[in-house]
Amino acid sequence: MMTYLGKIGELTLKGSNIHTFEKLLLKNTKEYLKDTGAKVSLHAGRLYIDCEEKDCEQVEFTLRHLIGITGWAQTKTSEKTIEDIQKTVLETAKEAVQKGAKSFKIEAKRGDKKFPLNSYEIACQGASLVYDSGLMEVNVHNPDVIIYVEVRERCFIYSVAEKSCRGLPVGCSNKGLLLLSGGLDSPVAGYRMMRRGMKIECCYFHSYPYTSIEAQQKVEELARTLSAYGIQTYLNIIPFTDVQMKIKEKAPEEWSTLMLRVCMMKAANMLAFRVHADCIVTGESLGQVASQTLENMNVTEHFAEYPLLRPLVGMDKEEIMADAHFIGTYDTSILPYEDCCVLFSPRHPILRGRIEDAEKIFASLEADELIKTAFENRQIKKFVCGKEVILKEEV
Ligand code: ATP
Ligand code: MG
């Protein structure tokens, strides 16, 4: 039997409703592990998973992606006696030495106040077999390895704690419709909202054959990756070629990108209504490109019938890239298949569009029917915990 422990972060700040959040965290964890025999439980700020060795890979995948824990570790367990703790600390120290550690310290926590030694005493006495064996020296300021000892309803001893996603468990804060393009930003925007507990459904607009099949496959891959964090997501693929052609035909050239965003917003309104989303999420970041000046963002927002959330609005590219690396979307996002075509990109895009002009230009397109048809012709894909689930013909 293997045991893993997850540390719960922000949740512990919740007051009397903490149980609702904990229940959700448990439910989410079980969803990842439903095809395994792993046992999941939660006590006093810790998530525990017991599993057989064959399920370790899936358990570790879960702990790397589960939103709502700050860190995790594979842990040994011992009897609740200082002698057994000492033995287990020694085993852990031996493993650390094999990996090259030369110094250590112990961090002990006594969660069970009935245990006769306090945290400091557990730390001092727990290390005694390691001193006696001369395996490693103690260094409390800058040790190569920290050995954690937690005395709770069981005793846990572990040395390597991995960082996790933090945040609030997915499902505690409404549902957002993410406009997901193939770029770096929008997947990170989706992840950021998931970390605030939001369920995310995705929507991608393509203009085949002006944009390639590879561009679409890239977005599918991004949605799959996001589902590893969001537990479940749908990707709605909306064919927007006719709308783009209409914009090219009728809108002033400098307005074409902004009008495309407006038309996307119109379709997003329909989809948000259909899938019961409570808001729309984009990857916009102030000033990043011409369509993302405050004035132009205001134009797009004007056409949104739902709250428009832009979690990256104040982030710079380096911060966004760091997140993309962390969640594993970076390599896919930088693949060279564009989600828009130069044919439709204006040479001199308008920088400070006015809402009155946008309304007039949008009306002159007479694109409402085209947008509705595009919405109705959407294709839907489903992803659960990082895997595509093939859907039967249904809408
Ligand atoms: P990204 O890196 O997310 O592609 P970007 O920096 O390329 O963003 P824009 O192309 O101006 O910025 O797009 C702004 C936002 O509009 C995107 O973050 C995304 O939310 C949405 N968006 C743009 N193109 C599409 C598309 N083809 N399908 C769905 N959403 C899109
Ligand atoms: Mg883009």
Side-chain angles (χ1 to χ4, degrees), residues 80-83 85-86 108-126 151:
K80 260 202 240 177
T81 61
I82 190 65
E83 292 75 20
I85 291 173
Q86 287 166 335
K109 224 183 231 148
R110 181 179 61 160
D112 174 2
K113 299 296 176 214
K114 289 197 208 105
F115 192 72
L117 304 177
N118 66 27
S119 301
Y120 179 72
E121 290 162 342
I122 298 170
C124 296
Q125 296 193 29
V151 181

Side-chain angles (χ1 to χ4, degrees), residues 151-165:
V151 181
R152 297 171 180 273
E153 54 301 324
R154 286 185 278 167
C155 239
F156 301 95
I157 290 134
Y158 56 95
S159 66
V160 189
E162 313 273 349
K163 284 209 169 63
S164 307
C165 307

Side-chain angles (χ1 to χ4, degrees), residues 134-147:
L135 263 180
M136 279 195 279
E137 48 184 64
V138 177
N139 182 342
V140 288
H141 299 298
N142 193 18
D144 292 339
V145 63
I146 301 176
I147 297 177

Side-chain angles (χ1 to χ4, degrees), residues 236-253:
N236 296 265
I237 302 165
I238 303 188
F240 237 39
T241 316
D242 293 346
V243 177
Q244 280 235 315
M245 299 303 270
K246 185 62 101 186
I247 295 171
K248 179 142 181 79
E249 180 195 336
K250 291 199 160 171
E253 193 201 311

Side-chain angles (χ1 to χ4, degrees), residues 329-370:
T329 52
Y330 183 87
D331 290 340
T332 309
S333 285
I334 61 165
L335 291 173
Y337 313 113
E338 288 304 320
D339 62 70
C340 60
C341 173
V342 280
L343 190 68
F344 300 109
S345 303
R347 270 159 298 173
H348 302 290
I350 188 153
L351 287 178
R352 301 188 198 292
R354 293 183 342 155
I355 288 172
E356 310 83 87
D357 297 339
E359 277 183 331
K360 279 191 211 128
I361 297 167
F362 179 72
S364 77
L365 298 180
E366 297 178 314
D368 288 305
E369 275 310 307
L370 279 183

Side-chain angles (χ1 to χ4, degrees), residues 178-187 203-206 257 261 264 281-284 288-289 291-292 317 339-340:
L178 171 68
L179 302 196
L180 180 64
S181 65
L184 271 168
D185 305 318
S186 40
C203 167
Y204 167 63
F205 299 91
H206 74 81
T257 306
R261 296 286 173 270
M264 284 181 182
V281 180
T282 72
E284 289 162 299
Q288 199 189 79
V289 287
S291 58
Q292 294 172 25
K317 204 74 192 184
D339 62 70
C340 60

